[in-house]
Amino acid sequence: MIAVACAMVLDALLGEPKWLWDRLPHPAVVMGRGVGALERRLNTRTRANGVVTVCILVVVAACLGLVLMALPGWGAEVILGAMLLAQKSLVQHVQAVGDALRLSLGDARRAVAMIVGRDVSALDEAGVARSAIESAAENLSDGVIAPVFWFAVAGLPGLLVYKVVNTADSMIGYRTERYENFGWAAAKLDDVLNWVPARITALLIWALGPVRAPLRAIAADAALHRSPNAGWPEAAIAPGLGVALSGPRSYEGVMQDFPWVYAAGRKDAGPDDIDQAVRRLWGVWGLTLIGVVSVGLVFALL
């Protein structure tokens, strides 16, 4: 637990140093290259080969984690852990959207395009702000809380397995002709690994207040989301900000009529709401760090 806490603090302080990643490939980039290589060799558009691919990725990641954990000291765990957490970079990307929105809609669209996968060309100011807040909530779960959770539960093997599965899902977990079957295993395993962290994230956001919707209302709103996990942090953050999230949006030029999460909220979100969302990101990070340290102390005293 000490290594997890140290990695969280190191990530929060340093984030993603550009000078380093301009010279070396980021571990997530290396994972992506591995996923891409396996996809090129094994993608026969069958579920069986997709399962084989995920098994290879999981075994390699777990074995690498075990080897690194066998090294003396906590250095490898802390450094690699910090590299694979995304608190500071998430905050910077989300805050950049709010700052850009205060300058011009065009700047804001370019900033939000870096963190969302939807069409941004037709987004108005409120649409840009809602998109940034949705991305903040979802990525808080799968970029911070889930890695911390699996790091705490299973050490470096757990962290590396989670990250490689999450990377695979982001690359091949799509319902397209090419990936519908091959990416099925990656998408399903990613859902499983994110199930508990997504709900923990929602509880942490809810605990921060100051406006707390009933937990049953959060659960009901989360169930409206197309993802079994992403809806939870979105449904928790929306009432606190008083903003309706999700709703209709465009993907690849096709308008999708998704339901609103917290439909009673305002739909005219703006940069001030993004600022509040960023404060929630840091609040959840702080609560998580306190939880990690507390659990570590309990285990140390047993």
Side-chain angles (χ1 to χ4, degrees), residues 132-150:
I133 295 167
E134 291 162 15
S135 181
E138 183 175 349
N139 285 294
L140 175 63
S141 178
D142 62 21
V144 180
I145 303 304
V148 167
F149 176 81
W150 289 109

Side-chain angles (χ1 to χ4, degrees), residues 182-206:
F182 182 74
W184 174 83
K188 291 301 181 184
L189 184 55
D190 185 69
D191 286 343
V192 170
L193 295 179
N194 276 298
W195 198 92
V196 171
R199 287 147 181 83
I200 291 175
T201 305
L203 282 173
L204 292 171
I205 294 172
W206 177 84

Side-chain angles (χ1 to χ4, degrees), residues 3-4 6-7 10 27 64-84 151 155-157 159-160:
V4 178
C6 290
L10 187 60
L64 178 60
L66 289 171
V67 169
L68 292 174
M69 282 189 71
L71 297 175
W74 295 330
E77 291 182 76
V78 172
I79 293 172
L80 186 56
M83 290 177 180
L84 293 176
F151 194 9
L156 274 184
L159 173 61
L160 288 173

